[in-house]
């Protein structure tokens, strides 16, 4: 389909980007465009202004901090995550999951920031970032703040980065003794997730985060064995959506299975 | 700087520089097809799934229906029209596609070729799985992908006739 | 009584026929130089966007286009009221009540499915047309919605077409053999309560579209469209537009896939014709993907109820009886032909003699249906394959042996089915053996144990299917005796140009089937030249006057009808060349002349030779002094291929409905994850037989594509609606089609059983017959045998449905009963 009329600006600094976002009601950031352009084509949403972040090179970096944390610039693309030596050495689950997103063309454009801020419940990275305990850095008119991933996702398509604000990086702590895993059932190979689970296992405890079953990722903790994990999922009394890819009961059941498999995958390495 | 509803862009396509005034809302694929008259790049869906619009932008394969023309200001784009030489000699991928019957209706073919080119530009010896991953974003409804995968593998090996 | 007498079969001589030569189409297509409909450019075009109903069923209380028209850059609009005044409703093929349906280019008075177009706006740019569409204000009054075909006939169901007074499009009874006697003879009766063939379509990658121009001075419309059956479109559009057929010129060059989904675009084309005339400018429309899914052309959905299958203890099946309800969506455009076309393959591939079907077609508030790849035969063949698979399963008979026991045998060919269709040739049992061998069927138990060790359930399923081709349109009279359609035809012309160039014109509209290439092979062999010497015009143009009422590319027929026309025209030309050369070279007669290497030469003196260049030049530019006997030698020969059909017997609904029967047998090996219902196809074979293959590589390509479409429909693709008539799968996210990583390893092979009824021994074969769906259903049922023993009763089995079968096998088992007789 075709977009409504829109204003376009391509700032050359983060400050200018934030200013544009704050000063224009109905302004949205444009990162990779793999979600927002589609949404605008369907006219499901029609921002008045798109603030193109393409020239903000400082948001594109992938680095390891002095403390060993993985700092992912919000504009790092999935392809960049996959080929990054820093990601591979510090927290490879990020690359492993990014490699499952859609296809090469989407991965060449889609960004960490886009995946996280659009917060479609079927997106891959939100459950992963919650599981590993990442932190999101947000810049607004009032300056910079950090929000833990657990508190970042507020609702369908809604995050703590509000109007006039910009997510600038996602900081992933070093794995240390923890190991990560991910499991999903998808619509076709590398397709949209029907149910997903990210798991981070430390010692004999598991942090499990379910995607696709609620408006935001669902965080659970359990002992890192299959039965305990499944029981924790049952205990969460999930109320997942029913749609053409399965009734609620199917997602509820799948959630148990992928949670246990994510934990098992964590046990096998990473 | 203030937002604009339209602007002048300068885009290099297949080595030629084009300057055009475009609305901000114009999709890159429509810019390529309608404004520049390069109709080899096709449109097959509304949601960026089918890949018929695939071009190479600044060295990477992208779906041109999910980019605005204004985002391509200053960029360098290769479309299917860049593959054959000026003398009409077909690119090895084009030759291999024909030799292996990797196209029937030909509608997905330009996008498929650009994804394949992107693969071979970065990976000279792809496995079958790598080839399938490279074209995973390109839908074909005619061939079942069997001959397409064969053609790309053959082109990678430098074997262009069946 | 219909008979089909075998023609003298000419096996293709050693030559280009049978060789997989390089394709002529490729050079332009690999360079992006194809001309698809959206590539056609004109000045001062009005781009068109259709305003479509957001309701599945509603009365149109008011339409206001004034705001849209006021937008700068908008050229004009069209609404239903205007259409009703300027056009007559489209001809309906059915009898009452279906015949009373009023179908126009835009919805008139009410909308009957989500996406039903109510207005069209034309503007200077595509974006402006889209903007203007949003400014059209439509007031709807919602009406109750009918989405379930089984309830479309309930007394309290909403009626879609008030003039018809019923949701029945067509209904009738088919009865052949003696079913009651079969019941008596049987040892068991297997009763299956319900089998459901789901709604999907082939979703060609290129959407429908057109560039339409109107010449005021001559009243001539030129329609550049990717419609794949212009013969049908013209027959529908001419009377509707109150204009002569020749005033509708159809032109196309390259079409990006059709699969039957580009047949019923005549409503949109009429709207464009009206706009082009009204606005006095060319108008352009390219469909959106969402619109193709919601409002273009779905495959028929069909429910089979109360199925009874009399069987002998050894597994010999004697026939079947059932009710069938076919859901054709909101309008009957190519329908109700689907109500008879299945009868081309009444007993499937089996020797079942006693058949009774009560068939009803209903309309519902869903997208109208069109002849999707496999049209109507696929639905029926899926049914026969489910029947044989379920019966074998329940009687604990070996699936391979039961099929071979029931298959029509090659020595019985040509075989007359219970309703008088003649299967021309084939060796089904042999093809099944080849397909099984390709997947290593003999090591099945080992594979099963291996899968089990990994926690998976392995299943193997057979899907055998027919691809009947070259319709006898007389079958339409079995639905409506007053229809004046019968037989079939296709046209070709071949000429020598002034400088001896061989030029071929086809009446077909290929969408990837390689007609230019294959036609050139036939022509080359007859004229003694190479395919490179043969220029085949790309595409279709009714101004070429090389078409007839049934021209187009649909229904698996080119290798018979198209090539039959090409062969006929080329033989006429060859004959003329020989006659001309005989006179010029002083030979005793045309039989003394042979054609080779671009020359016509005397057999007794090869030095006496006339190049084609000379032949063309003499007739076209240098004909003074030629004898009178050569007056009819024009070197421009047009031929209409006509298959040998009779009008079927309308009383008994008996007669030959199709000329050829290609076949495919697929075997699917899959592994089910019992925890999730997710299954993976780990091995797959497809064996095809389409008679003599003119270009084996092209044939194989069609088989690959048919596998992908079948697997897509089996695993992923469904057009599902909620109870409000909202389509849940209107884009490629939710309507997932197979991508490269979704395809299984695919092993293919072929045999050739030439058809005795065609001039080249070929059979049409493009559609395939949906064997992938049949095979996957059988394989899932096999896999679940040891985990609840559920029965597969749906054609579409996404992961959640398999999970449900594992979780609650009793629900499906309750649909099947075996009774001793």
């Amino acid at each position: 389909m075709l977009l409504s009329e829109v204003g376009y600006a391509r700032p050359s600094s983060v400050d200018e980007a934030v200013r544009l976002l704050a000063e224009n009601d109905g302004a949205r950031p444009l990162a990779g465009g793999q979600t927002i352009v589609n949404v605008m084509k369907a006219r499901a949403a029609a921002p008045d202004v798109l603030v193109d972040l393409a020239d903000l090179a400082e948001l594109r970096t992938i680095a390891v901090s002095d403390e060993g944390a993985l700092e992912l610039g919000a504009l790092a693309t999935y392809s960049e995550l996959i080929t990054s030596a820093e990601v591979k050495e510090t927290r490879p689950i990020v690359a492993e999951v990014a490699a499952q997103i859609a296809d090469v063309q989407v991965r060449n454009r889609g960004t960490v920031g886009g995946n996280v801020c659009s917060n479609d419940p079927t997106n891959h990275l939100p459950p992963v970032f919650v599981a590993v305990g990442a932190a999101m850095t947000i810049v607004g008119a009032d300056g910079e703040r950090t929000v833990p991933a657990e508190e970042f996702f507020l609702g369908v398509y809604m995050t703590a980065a509000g109007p006039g604000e910009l997510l600038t990086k996602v900081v992933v702590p070093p794995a240390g003794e923890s190991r990560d895993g991910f499991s999903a059932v998808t619509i076709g190979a590398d397709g949209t997730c029907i149910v997903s689970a990210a798991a981070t296992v430390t010692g004999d405890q598991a942090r499990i985060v379910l995607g696709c079953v609620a408006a935001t990722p669902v965080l659970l903790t359990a002992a890192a064995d299959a039965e305990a994990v499944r029981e924790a999922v049952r205990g969460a009394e999930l109320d997942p959506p029913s749609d053409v890819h399965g009734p609620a009961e199917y997602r509820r059941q799948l959630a148990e299975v992928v949670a246990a498999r994510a934990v098992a995958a964590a046990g096998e390495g990473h | 700087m203030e937002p604009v509803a339209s602007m002048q862009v300068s885009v290099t396509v297949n080595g030629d520089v084009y300057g055009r005034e475009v609305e901000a809302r114009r999709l890159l694929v429509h810019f390529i097809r309608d404004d520049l008259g390069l109709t080899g790049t096709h449109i097959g869906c509304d949601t960026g799934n089918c890949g018929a619009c695939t071009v190479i932008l600044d060295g990477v394969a992208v779906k041109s229906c999910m980019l605005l023309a204004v985002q391509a200001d200053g960029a360098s784009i290769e479309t299917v029209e860049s593959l054959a030489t000026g003398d009409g000699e077909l690119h090895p991928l084009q030759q291999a596609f024909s030799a292996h019957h990797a196209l029937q209706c030909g509608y997905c073919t330009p996008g498929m070729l650009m994804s394949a080119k992107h693969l071979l530009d970065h990976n000279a010896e792809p496995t079958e799985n790598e080839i399938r991953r490279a074209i995973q974003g390109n839908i074909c409804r005619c061939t079942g992908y069997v001959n397409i995968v064969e053609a790309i593998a053959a082109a990678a090996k430098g074997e262009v006739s069946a | 009584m219909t008979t089909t007498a075998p023609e003298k079969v000419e096996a293709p001589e050693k030559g280009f026929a049978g060789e997989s030569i390089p394709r002529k189409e490729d050079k332009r297509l690999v360079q992006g130089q194809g001309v698809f409909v959206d590539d056609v450019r004109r000045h001062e075009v009005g781009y068109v966007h259709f305003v479509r109903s957001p309701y599945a069923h509603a009365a149109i209380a008011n339409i206001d286009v004034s705001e849209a028209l006021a937008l700068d850059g908008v050229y004009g609009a069209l609404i239903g009221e205007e259409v009703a005044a300027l056009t007559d409703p489209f001809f309906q093929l059915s009898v009452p009540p279906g015949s009373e349906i009023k179908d126009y280019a835009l919805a008139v008075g009410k909308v009957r499915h989500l996406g039903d177009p109510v207005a069209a706006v034309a503007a200077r740019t595509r974006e402006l047309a889209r903007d203007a569409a949003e400014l059209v204000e439509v007031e709807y009054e919602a009406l109750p919605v009918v989405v379930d075909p089984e309830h479309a006939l309930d007394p309290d169901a909403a009626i879609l077409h008030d003039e018809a007074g019923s949701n029945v499009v067509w209904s009738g009874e088919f009865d052949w053999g003696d079913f009651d006697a079969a019941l008596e003879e049987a040892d068991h009766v297997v009763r299956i309560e319900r089998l459901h063939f789901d709604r999907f379509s082939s979703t060609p990658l290129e959407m429908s579209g057109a560039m339409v121009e109107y010449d005021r001075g001559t009243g001539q419309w030129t329609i550049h469209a990717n419609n794949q059956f212009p013969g049908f479109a013209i027959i529908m559009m001419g009377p509707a537009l109150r204009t002569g057929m020749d005033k509708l010129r159809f032109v196309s060059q390259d079409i990006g896939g059709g699969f039957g989904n580009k047949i019923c675009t005549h409503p949109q084309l009429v709207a464009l014709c009206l706009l082009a005339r009204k606005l006095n400018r060319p108008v352009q429309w390219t469909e959106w993907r969402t619109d193709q899914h919601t409002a273009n052309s779905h495959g028929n959905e069909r429910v089979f109820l109360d199925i009874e299958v009399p069987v002998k203890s050894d597994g010999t099946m004697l026939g079947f009886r059932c009710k069938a309800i076919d859901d054709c969506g909101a309008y009957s455009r190519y329908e109700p032909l689907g109500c008879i076309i299945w009868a081309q393959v009444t007993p499937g591939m089996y020797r079942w003699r006693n058949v009774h079907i009560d068939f009803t077609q209903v309309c519902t508030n869903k997208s109208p249906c069109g002849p999707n790849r496999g049209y109507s035969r696929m639905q029926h063949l899926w049914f026969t394959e489910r029947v044989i698979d379920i019966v074998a399963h329940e009687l604990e008979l070996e699936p391979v042996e039961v099929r071979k026991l029931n298959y029509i045998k090659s020595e019985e060919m040509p075989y007359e089915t219970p309703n008088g269709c003649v299967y021309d040739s084939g060796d089904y049992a042999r093809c099944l053996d080849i397909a099984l061998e390709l997947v290593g069927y003999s090591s099945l138990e080992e594979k099963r144990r291996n899968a089990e060790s990994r926690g998976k359930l392995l299943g193997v399923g057979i899907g055998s299917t027919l691809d009947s081709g070259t319709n006898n349109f007389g079958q339409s009279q079995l639905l409506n005796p007053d229809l004046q359609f019968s037989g079939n035809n296709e046209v070709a012309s071949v000429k020598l140009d002034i400088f001896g160039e061989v030029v071929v014109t086809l009446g077909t509209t290929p969408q990837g089937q390689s007609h230019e290439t294959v036609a050139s092979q036939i022509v080359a062999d007859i004229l003694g030249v190479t395919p490179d010497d043969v220029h085949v015009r790309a595409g279709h143009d009714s101004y070429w006057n090389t078409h007839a009422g049934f021209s187009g590319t649909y229904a698996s027929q080119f290798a018979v009808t198209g090539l039959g026309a090409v062969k006929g025209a080329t033989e006429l030309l060859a004959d003329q060349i020989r006659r001309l050369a005989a006179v010029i070279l002083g030979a005793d007669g045309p039989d003394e002349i042979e054609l080779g290497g671009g020359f016509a030469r005397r057999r007794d003196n090869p030095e006496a030779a006339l190049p084609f260049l000379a032949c063309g030049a003499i007739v076209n530019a240098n004909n003074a002094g030629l004898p009178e006997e050569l007056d009819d030698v024009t070197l421009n020969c047009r031929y209409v291929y006509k298959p040998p059909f009779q009008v079927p017997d309308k009383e008994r609904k008996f007669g030959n409905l199709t000329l050829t029967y290609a076949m495919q047998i697929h075997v699917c090996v899959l592994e089910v994850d019992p925890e999730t219902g997710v299954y993976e196809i780990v091995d797959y074979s497809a064996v095809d037989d389409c008679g003599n293959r003119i270009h084996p590589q092209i044939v194989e390509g069609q088989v690959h594509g048919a596998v992908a479409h079948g697997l897509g429909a089996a695993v992923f693709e469904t057009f599902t609606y909620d109870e409000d008539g909202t389509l849940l799968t209107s884009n490629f996210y939710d309507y997932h089609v197979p991508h490269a990583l979704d395809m299984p390893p695919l092993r293919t092979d072929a045999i050739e059983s030439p058809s005795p009824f065609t001039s080249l021994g070929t059979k049409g074969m493009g559609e395939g017959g949906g064997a992938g769906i049949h095979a996957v259903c059988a394989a899932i049922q096999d896999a679940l045998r040891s985990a609840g023993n559920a029965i597969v009763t749906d054609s579409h089995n996404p992961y959640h449905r398999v999970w449900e079968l594992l979780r609650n096998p009793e629900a499906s088992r309750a649909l099947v009963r075996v009774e001793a007789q």
Side-chain angles (χ1 to χ4, degrees), chain C residues 618-639:
Chain C
I618 288 168
V619 168
N620 281 294
N622 195 7
N623 62 9
L626 283 181
E628 246 178 64
E629 71 197 84
L630 295 181
D631 276 357
D632 64 328
V633 170
T634 59
L635 299 184
N636 186 353
C637 302
R638 180 180 188 271
Y639 184 86

Side-chain angles (χ1 to χ4, degrees), chain B residues 7 40-41 97 106:
Chain B
M7 60 184 259
T41 303
F97 265 56

Side-chain angles (χ1 to χ4, degrees), chain B residues 33 46 94 98 136 141 145, chain C residues 26 30 39 290 717 738-739:
Chain B
R33 289 181 52 77
D46 302 336
Q94 291 171 310
S98 182
Q136 176 66 359
R141 297 254 64 188
Y145 310 99
Chain C
D26 288 350
V30 296
D39 302 335
T290 308
E717 299 178 44
H739 292 235

Side-chain angles (χ1 to χ4, degrees), chain A:
Chain A
M1 301 269 197
L2 299 166
L3 279 61
S4 308
E5 278 184 19
V6 69
Y8 173 85
R10 201 200 287 193
S12 44
S13 72
V14 173
D15 283 343
E16 201 169 3
V18 172
R19 179 189 68 78
L20 283 159
L21 288 168
E23 283 178 11
N24 290 280
D25 245 3
R28 295 295 305 270
L30 174 62
Q34 303 304 278
T35 297
I36 197 165
V37 174
N38 280 340
V39 167
M40 292 176 73
K41 275 147 82 171
R43 301 199 177 195
D48 297 308
V49 170
L50 287 173
V51 179
D52 188 354
L53 309 177
D55 287 349
L56 306 181
E58 70 256 52
L59 299 190
R60 180 160 259 121
T61 56
I62 298 173
V64 180
S65 74
D66 296 332
E67 294 81 41
L70 180 62
E71 300 190 334
L72 305 171
L75 291 185
T77 65
Y78 311 143
S79 286
E80 284 163 355
L81 295 178
I82 292 164
T83 54
S84 158
E86 286 87 354
V87 171
K88 186 165 171 197
E89 278 148 27
T90 317
R91 209 89 198 224
I93 191 70
V94 173
E96 183 189 311
V97 172
Q100 296 174 34
I101 299 176
D103 53 64
V104 167
Q105 297 95 313
V106 169
R107 295 194 289 268
N108 284 338
R109 295 283 311 166
T111 62
V112 168
N115 199 279
V116 150
C117 290
S118 60
N119 194 27
D120 184 303
T122 62
N123 281 359
H124 290 68
L125 295 180
V128 173
F129 287 145
V130 174
V132 300
M136 279 64 173
T137 304
I138 302 171
V139 169
D142 304 329
E144 195 180 274
R145 61 198 173 90
T146 305
V147 176
E150 265 176 68
E151 293 162 31
F152 183 79
F153 303 100
L154 302 179
V156 179
Y157 314 140
M158 283 198 321
T159 68
E165 298 189 302
L166 200 60
L167 174 78
T168 55
K169 67 181 173 195
V170 176
V171 179
V172 176
E177 295 302 312
S178 303
R179 285 157 314 164
D180 306 313
F182 182 86
S183 176
V185 173
T186 59
I187 306 167
D190 290 353
T192 306
C193 294
I194 299 173
V195 177
S196 62
T200 296
V201 174
T202 314
D204 58 6
Q205 286 303 303
R207 227 174 119 83
I208 304 134
V209 185
L210 300 169
C212 311
V213 294
T216 56
V218 174
L219 170 60
L220 305 167
T221 52
D225 72 81
E227 207 26 67
V229 167
R230 298 179 82 124
E231 181 149 349
V233 173
R234 283 193 292 270
E237 289 183 357
L238 300 170
D239 184 23
S242 282
D243 64 17
V244 69
H245 305 295
E249 186 48 40
Y250 181 58
R251 280 193 166 85
R252 236 193 306 266
Q253 166 72 23
L254 276 190
E256 286 184 43
V257 176
V258 298
R261 290 182 182 179
V263 169
E268 278 151 33
H270 312 122

Side-chain angles (χ1 to χ4, degrees), chain B residues 25-26 33-34 39-40 44-46 80 94 98-99 101 103-105 113 132 136 139 141-143 145-146, chain C residues 23 26 30 38-39 41 126-127 131 202-203 289-290 511 697 701-702 704-705 709 717 738-741:
Chain B
R25 62 166 162 174
R26 196 128 174 98
R33 289 181 52 77
D34 295 347
T39 55
C45 76
D46 302 336
V80 67
Q94 291 171 310
S98 182
H101 191 39
L103 63 151
Q104 292 180 23
C105 80
L113 284 167
R132 287 181 186 273
Q136 176 66 359
I139 292 176
R141 297 254 64 188
C142 293
T143 67
Y145 310 99
V146 181
Chain C
R23 275 199 349 157
D26 288 350
V30 296
D38 196 86
D39 302 335
R41 298 293 146 103
R126 302 176 197 268
E127 286 88 352
D131 292 342
S202 304
T203 67
R289 169 60 50 192
T290 308
Q511 324 102 36
Q697 188 188 43
Q702 295 295 311
H704 292 164
H709 267 135
E717 299 178 44
H739 292 235
L741 287 169

